[in-house]
Amino acid sequence: MIARYTREEMGRVWNDANRFARWLDVELAATETLAEAGQVPKDAAAAIRAHAKVDVARIQEIESRVKHDVIAFTMAVGESIGDPAAARWLHYGLTSNDVVDTAQALLVRDASRLIERGLVLFSEVLDVRAHEFRHTPQIGRTHGIHAEPITFGLKIANWFAENQRNIARFRDAAAQMAVGKISGAVGNASHLGPEIEERICEKLGLKAVPVASQVIQRDRHAHYLSSLALIAATLEKIALEIRHLQRTEVREVEEPFGGEQRGSSAMPHKRNPVTSEQICGLARLVRSNLIAAFENVALWHERDISHSSVERVILPDSTILVDYMLAKMSTIVSNMRVFPERMQRNLELTHGLVYSGQLLQDLVEKGMPHDDAYKAVQENAMAAWEADSNFRERVAGDARITKYLDAKALTHTFDLQRQLRYVDAVFDRVFGAHPAGEKSAAGSAGKN
């Protein structure tokens, strides 16, 4: 991934030096475990631990000749050990993918910790802002058209709940990736045995897969990429909403705009939602990587290499992008400008039309046949819409309606707070009932 979208910590996870360092971690764990089992001389294992080093330039130079990265790695590390008698025990009993797949699990684990931290921090931001605007009225829109009143906090609570589900899904997917295999070229564990495999993986903080071919099966990786794609989709959903709410005609929300930021080279007045647009674009990349991950599941027999080149791209790129997108979206939501007065003005833009559903319900409750009530309400609503006139005044003058609802009843029908009376109850379901001002446990994954 290009540097523009790579944050420092995540970039370090995937650089060549760290990748080879994780390969060495696997080699060292294997050699020391075998030494403990009496299959490798203990002095050789100690020498390997003391002297084995990663030299990226040397590995790459050897690979340019031998055309095999793991062989190049073992040759370069063997040189660094210095003692040929000790170095010959490096990579003993292992095949390339015992090292590569197990080390990849370590890399994914490191990347996952950063992403999970970003997800939890994002939940905390959403929690704060949802409660800040819990009772800020806003018009709810369906098909882009005014529907019925909500609050802006309720909209953010929806984002929070979805992010909590993302945390749960991601934790499960990351756990399924935290496995290693040291079972040889076809998965039969014939060289070292299952017990040694389990002990090597345990030393690395991993579980040994119950069964493998030459590789860990790629359904795990597809599941992991799927969880990343869902996170990206959630971030895109929020970004798209902010873009719509920032439109000049709406202007209910605005993403942060820096003091020296410029929106257009030609139009100095422009304040564009460029970061939200960037997130929407990057989500497409993460989603596209999911297709490749699913296609990696099917390999020839016990293994071919078609998945390898793909994973060199999609695993680093997807984790790097999601890490970047989470950080950007947390900044947007934390610092976005919100305009409650504009929300109220937009809510009132249709002169009461948004209470038509409540009016229909109240008429039916008072005894008016449903179809008659629907026709009466719709006729008045369409007339008010076309003439840009006051819906409440129209229905107050319609004898079909006033036969069932007097002036006091109509006031109740057109009461905004009646529409919003269950917002607190919904919040309690999302965040858990807790005293006002007390921070909820945003990092827990159980709420949905």
Side-chain angles (χ1 to χ4, degrees):
M1 180 51 61
I2 63 175
R4 182 182 185 91
Y5 305 122
T6 305
R7 299 198 329 137
E8 186 177 354
E9 280 188 274
M10 187 64 82
R12 284 199 299 267
V13 170
W14 293 111
N15 66 33
D16 284 342
N18 191 57
R19 178 165 60 94
F20 291 134
R22 287 305 197 180
W23 287 13
L24 183 56
D25 287 342
V26 176
E27 296 280 6
L28 293 174
T31 301
E32 291 173 350
T33 300
L34 289 168
E36 292 165 3
Q39 297 184 40
V40 166
K42 289 186 177 181
D43 58 346
I48 292 171
R49 165 64 73 177
H51 301 292
K53 297 291 185 293
V54 167
D55 183 335
V56 175
R58 180 58 177 155
I59 294 169
Q60 292 173 341
E61 189 275 325
I62 296 173
E63 186 183 359
S64 69
R65 292 185 282 106
V66 302
K67 309 302 181 185
H68 193 294
D69 55 355
V70 178
I71 292 174
F73 166 81
T74 56
M75 290 173 66
V77 172
E79 291 173 354
S80 73
I81 295 168
D83 178 5
R88 71 190 180 93
W89 295 103
L90 180 74
H91 201 66
Y92 175 75
L94 305 180
T95 191
S96 295
N97 269 281
D98 288 339
V99 176
V100 172
D101 268 12
T102 305
Q104 183 170 263
L106 300 176
L107 294 170
V108 169
R109 184 176 65 187
D110 291 343
S112 297
R113 286 169 177 163
L114 297 178
I115 291 172
E116 182 174 343
R117 183 177 70 188
L119 285 165
V120 172
L121 289 173
F122 186 43
S123 272
E124 292 175 358
V125 169
L126 293 169
D127 187 338
V128 169
R129 302 235 76 181
H131 283 85
E132 181 181 354
F133 299 107
R134 185 204 305 224
H135 297 300
T136 301
Q138 182 187 33
I139 185 60
R141 298 171 172 91
T142 60
H143 305 277
I145 307 300
H146 286 201
E148 293 185 341
I150 58 170
T151 71
F152 188 50
L154 199 60
K155 186 185 292 288
I156 299 175
N158 241 320
W159 301 345
F160 173 90
E162 188 165 333
N163 194 62
Q164 293 300 96
R165 294 192 294 276
N166 280 332
I167 291 174
R169 283 188 287 254
F170 182 72
R171 284 174 175 165
D172 176 66
Q176 291 195 35
M177 287 289 286
V179 293
K181 59 88 57 183
I182 311 289
S183 54
V186 291
N188 61 10
S190 62
H191 296 292
L192 300 180
E195 182 182 350
I196 291 295
E197 176 184 39
E198 291 172 4
R199 288 167 59 184
I200 293 171
C201 289
E202 183 179 4
K203 196 178 287 287
L204 294 164
L206 302 172
K207 292 183 178 179
V209 291
V211 60
S213 58
Q214 188 179 116
V215 297
I216 294 170
Q217 302 305 286
R218 261 44 194 179
D219 62 292
R220 296 174 184 268
H221 302 64
H223 179 43
Y224 185 76
L225 266 292
S226 179
S227 72
L228 293 176
L230 278 167
I231 294 167
T234 296
L235 298 176
E236 179 186 23
K237 164 186 173 175
I238 297 170
L240 187 64
E241 182 71 15
I242 291 170
R243 289 170 59 192
H244 280 307
L245 295 179
Q246 189 167 333
R247 285 180 297 134
T248 306
E249 296 83 358
V250 180
R251 200 163 183 260
E252 294 179 358
V253 173
E254 184 179 86
E255 74 170 41
F257 193 85
E260 297 186 25
Q261 185 174 340
R262 301 187 180 192
S264 167
S265 63
M267 298 171 285
H269 74 278
K270 295 283 277 178
R271 294 165 71 97
N272 302 323
V274 291
T275 307
S276 295
E277 291 172 336
Q278 182 188 68
I279 288 170
C280 289
L282 295 178
R284 298 169 190 168
L285 282 177
V286 180
R287 268 198 305 277
S288 69
N289 288 343
L290 177 59
I291 297 172
F294 271 88
E295 292 181 348
N296 276 352
V297 173
L299 303 175
W300 282 28
H301 304 299
E302 275 57 61
R303 183 239 180 168
D304 65 56
I305 202 172
S306 61
H307 68 289
S308 177
S309 57
V310 178
E311 287 175 5
R312 291 173 192 262
V313 176
I314 64 173
L315 280 171
D317 281 9
S318 297
T319 52
I320 285 169
L321 286 174
V322 169
D323 175 63
Y324 176 86
M325 293 163 68
L326 277 167
K328 286 294 185 180
M329 184 52 73
S330 292
T331 298
I332 290 174
V333 174
S334 181
N335 298 293
M336 66 184 176
R337 297 178 67 193
V338 179
F339 306 105
E341 298 84 0
R342 185 69 177 227
M343 289 180 177
Q344 185 70 39
R345 190 191 316 170
N346 286 342
L347 194 155
E348 297 169 353
L349 194 63
T350 60
H351 310 296
L353 277 177
V354 297
Y355 299 97
S356 72
Q358 189 64 63
L359 177 58
L360 172 63
Q361 183 174 319
D362 289 351
L363 286 169
V364 172
E365 184 179 321
K366 292 296 183 178
M368 191 174 187
H370 186 277
D371 194 52
D372 293 345
Y374 193 98
K375 288 178 181 177
V377 174
Q378 186 182 46
E379 287 172 11
N380 281 283
M382 294 301 104
W385 178 273
E386 294 295 336
D388 195 23
S389 58
N390 191 291
F391 177 61
R392 179 174 177 177
E393 291 177 0
R394 280 186 173 274
V395 299
D398 189 324
R400 294 173 298 176
I401 291 172
T402 56
K403 177 182 177 181
Y404 294 93
L405 299 174
D406 60 18
K408 182 179 179 181
L410 284 175
T411 297
H412 187 51
T413 296
F414 285 82
D415 181 5
L416 174 61
Q417 294 309 313
R418 183 184 178 195
Q419 297 291 309
L420 305 177
R421 65 191 185 277
Y422 295 122
V423 167
D424 284 341
V426 174
F427 263 64
D428 285 347
R429 291 197 307 196
V430 174
F431 298 97
H434 54 279
E438 179 183 308
K439 194 172 185 180
S440 65
S444 68
K447 304 180 185 70
N448 58 16

